[in-house]
Amino acid sequence: MSTNDLHQLSGAYALNALDELERARYEHHLASCEPCRTEVDSFLATTARLGELDQVAPSSGMRDAVLDEVDRTRQVSPVERRVARNLPRLASVAAGVLVAAVVGLSVLSANLAQRVDELQQLAAPVNEVLRAEDQVLASVDVETGRLRVLAAPSTGQGLVVADGLPGVGDNSVYQLWLIDEDGVPTSAGLLELDGTGDADQVMQGDMERVVALGVTVEPAGGSDQPTTDPVAVVEL
Amino acid sequence: MAAEPRLRAVPSSGDPASPDALLIAVARGDREAFAALFDHVAPKVVGVARRVVRDPARSEEVGQEVMAEVWRNAPRFDPDRGSAMTWIMTIAHRRAVDCVRSVQASRNRDDRIGTRDGVVRPFDEVAEAVEVDDEHRRVRESLSILTELQREVIELAYFGGHTYREVAELLDTPLGTVKTRMRDGLIRLRDAMGVNR
């Protein structure tokens, strides 16, 4: 999905008309797109007015239950509200390979913190990653597209969001590799792109010693070990 | 805030009983302020939940979850990004939509759409609307300035809890058109309401 398409999703997002993964993906986009943040805030103020049209008196039982729950419930601590307006520019490291700067928890908290506690009913792995304390968000530009990874090593899971990656034909696939500190790659599965080169998927594996995510082009079905140089490396 | 708040109910932050002032007090752990905030906003929270979820008992459950979440997350309310009412209604609507989708997740997609008919109840049908004031009337009127398609996509999504893909199927309209109508419809509504953010 191109950036231009993402801008167009502001309305659907404010109406809660995106599915879970689209929502997560759009929230990534919001972190680096101030115009969209501004627009979404204005839309939420608008939809809130629509929501206020209907009023239904709560039962006294509900009031008592809520106040009782509040008595037993601790509040969250305030998070830093600083907003990361832009992800760092990515530097070219070698021909065809761009390595992302680690963005880390600060952006994540700015990016999603306000929403994370609201995100309910997400697919379990997505939810776990979004709630983990040790999230790492990294991004790398790949030719026509972009690859973003939101990993939470403590959960052994990460979310991989690809936008507009170039096609590799029917006989090849993109394969994900978790690279540990000794440089040893372990397959984290294939990247399943849709027709426009987009993918949203959950990646699983032991990430305690992982320092990077690599992407290679492999023969259809994937390989046990990388057989080509990576087209992208995302440092975590 | 809007430069020209044509339609704003003027939530003066200086008013200690305004939702904004109450929520800021709640953020400091003030339980009395929370009780006052509850009385002020719970009818709207349950109202939007009822509209989306429909089932009265479930709507109250959603309302209860929302109000507990308001308490828990109040320290993270950021007045720079919008009003307390917007913050609370945003949580309420998302919870309501999540509830609808989780309830229906196991059902067949087509069956789901068929069962629900994609019908959004007209506003007049809500029997328990307890308050119809000028603000309310003006919000309704602002919907009438939308084109038919803009109004339909917004109502199906917001009041019906449908994803934009479902809306596209229900209206037999291309996805791109639905996305665009949602956005330009909200722009038009926002400007009609005098909302600046």
Side-chain angles (χ1 to χ4, degrees):
Chain A
M1 186 174 286
S2 74
T3 303
N4 193 40
D5 288 335
L6 279 172
H7 293 316
Q8 289 294 324
L9 284 179
S10 55
Y13 174 78
L15 292 164
N16 274 324
L18 300 180
D19 66 31
E20 292 150 4
L21 282 172
E22 287 170 325
R23 186 191 279 178
R25 174 211 286 269
Y26 188 75
E27 287 179 350
H28 284 299
H29 169 68
L30 279 183
S32 60
C33 185
E34 179 61 20
C36 282
R37 289 175 63 84
T38 304
E39 183 165 275
V40 162
D41 284 348
S42 76
F43 285 172
L44 291 174
T46 305
T47 54
R49 305 281 182 89
L50 296 179
E52 291 179 65
L53 282 173
D54 296 316
Q55 297 195 34
V56 175
S59 67
S60 59
M62 173 186 155
R63 188 178 193 276
D64 292 345
V66 169
L67 294 184
D68 185 54
E69 186 171 350
V70 159
D71 276 339
R72 292 180 281 107
T73 306
R74 287 181 55 183
Q75 293 179 303
V76 298
S77 57
V79 288
E80 198 179 349
R81 292 195 190 116
R82 182 173 54 81
V83 172
R85 303 295 177 189
N86 294 292
L87 295 173
R89 298 272 321 165
L90 303 168
S92 175
V93 169
V97 180
L98 294 165
V99 178
V102 171
V103 178
L105 188 59
S106 60
V107 166
L108 213 282
S109 54
N111 182 1
L112 293 176
Q114 291 204 329
R115 304 276 184 237
V116 163
D117 286 332
E118 302 164 25
L119 288 170
Q120 296 293 316
Q121 313 292 342
L122 281 187
V126 177
N127 211 3
E128 265 185 57
V129 170
L130 291 179
R131 287 174 183 277
E133 295 287 333
D134 60 338
Q135 297 138 335
V136 181
L137 175 66
S139 170
V140 60
D141 288 343
V142 185
E143 292 187 41
T144 56
R146 173 181 285 190
L147 189 66
R148 291 180 181 213
V149 180
L150 174 60
S154 64
T155 69
Q157 297 175 127
L159 312 179
V160 180
V161 178
D163 293 301
L165 295 192
V168 289
D170 292 341
N171 297 322
S172 302
V173 290
Y174 285 108
Q175 188 164 0
L176 302 169
W177 304 94
L178 294 170
I179 302 165
D180 71 16
E181 54 206 23
D182 298 324
V184 177
T186 305
S187 176
L190 306 180
L191 194 56
E192 312 277 354
L193 296 182
D194 68 14
T196 56
D198 294 352
D200 293 305
Q201 68 188 61
V202 174
M203 149 187 93
Q204 291 177 317
D206 178 4
M207 292 181 204
E208 290 300 331
R209 296 178 64 239
V210 163
V211 296
L213 175 76
V215 182
T216 62
V217 177
E218 301 293 336
S223 305
D224 292 336
Q225 293 292 317
T227 62
T228 61
D229 290 334
V231 295
V233 174
V234 182
E235 287 191 345
L236 298 176
Chain B
M1 285 299 130
E4 293 178 64
R6 295 191 289 280
L7 205 141
R8 192 123 180 119
V10 195
S12 151
S13 54
D15 175 1
S18 74
D20 294 271
L22 289 171
L23 185 55
I24 287 167
V26 171
R28 294 191 299 260
D30 185 335
R31 288 185 162 80
E32 278 184 32
F34 180 80
L37 183 67
F38 181 97
D39 293 336
H40 196 102
V41 306
K44 294 177 176 178
V45 167
V46 179
V48 74
R50 174 76 68 87
R51 167 68 73 174
V52 175
V53 175
R54 303 190 181 195
D55 178 73
R58 260 184 204 286
S59 311
E60 270 220 350
E61 284 169 19
V62 169
Q64 191 169 326
E65 286 173 19
V66 170
M67 292 311 300
E69 185 170 333
V70 165
W71 162 259
R72 211 166 50 244
N73 287 343
R76 293 189 183 165
F77 166 62
D78 181 355
D80 293 339
R81 287 198 58 195
S83 71
M85 209 60 237
T86 293
W87 188 73
I88 293 167
M89 295 307 288
T90 298
I91 295 172
H93 187 258
R94 181 171 293 190
R95 285 272 190 161
V97 165
D98 287 345
C99 173
V100 167
R101 294 196 187 146
S102 69
V103 165
Q104 304 202 340
S106 59
R107 295 191 197 166
N108 172 279
R109 183 185 170 84
D110 292 331
D111 179 44
R112 162 187 174 175
I113 290 174
T115 307
R116 295 171 70 195
D117 290 332
V119 171
V120 174
R121 286 174 300 161
F123 292 109
D124 307 338
E125 250 181 60
V126 178
E128 286 157 276
V130 292
E131 197 178 315
V132 180
D133 57 15
D134 285 351
E135 170 77 2
H136 189 122
R137 183 173 52 75
R138 280 178 294 215
V139 171
R140 283 183 184 213
E141 282 172 5
S142 63
L143 279 170
S144 68
I145 67 158
L146 299 178
T147 67
E148 182 68 11
L149 187 55
Q150 285 173 335
R151 194 182 53 73
E152 280 179 330
V153 298
I154 287 174
E155 291 191 355
L156 283 170
Y158 193 81
F159 297 122
H162 291 288
T163 66
Y164 77 90
R165 291 177 198 283
E166 290 168 347
V167 172
E169 281 183 41
L170 287 166
L171 298 178
D172 196 19
T173 302
L175 274 178
T177 307
V178 170
K179 276 190 280 192
T180 310
R181 290 296 89 81
M182 285 177 171
R183 179 166 177 266
D184 56 35
L186 283 178
I187 289 172
R188 193 182 268 205
L189 261 188
R190 175 193 70 193
D191 294 346
M193 291 178 181
V195 171
N196 203 24
R197 70 163 183 223

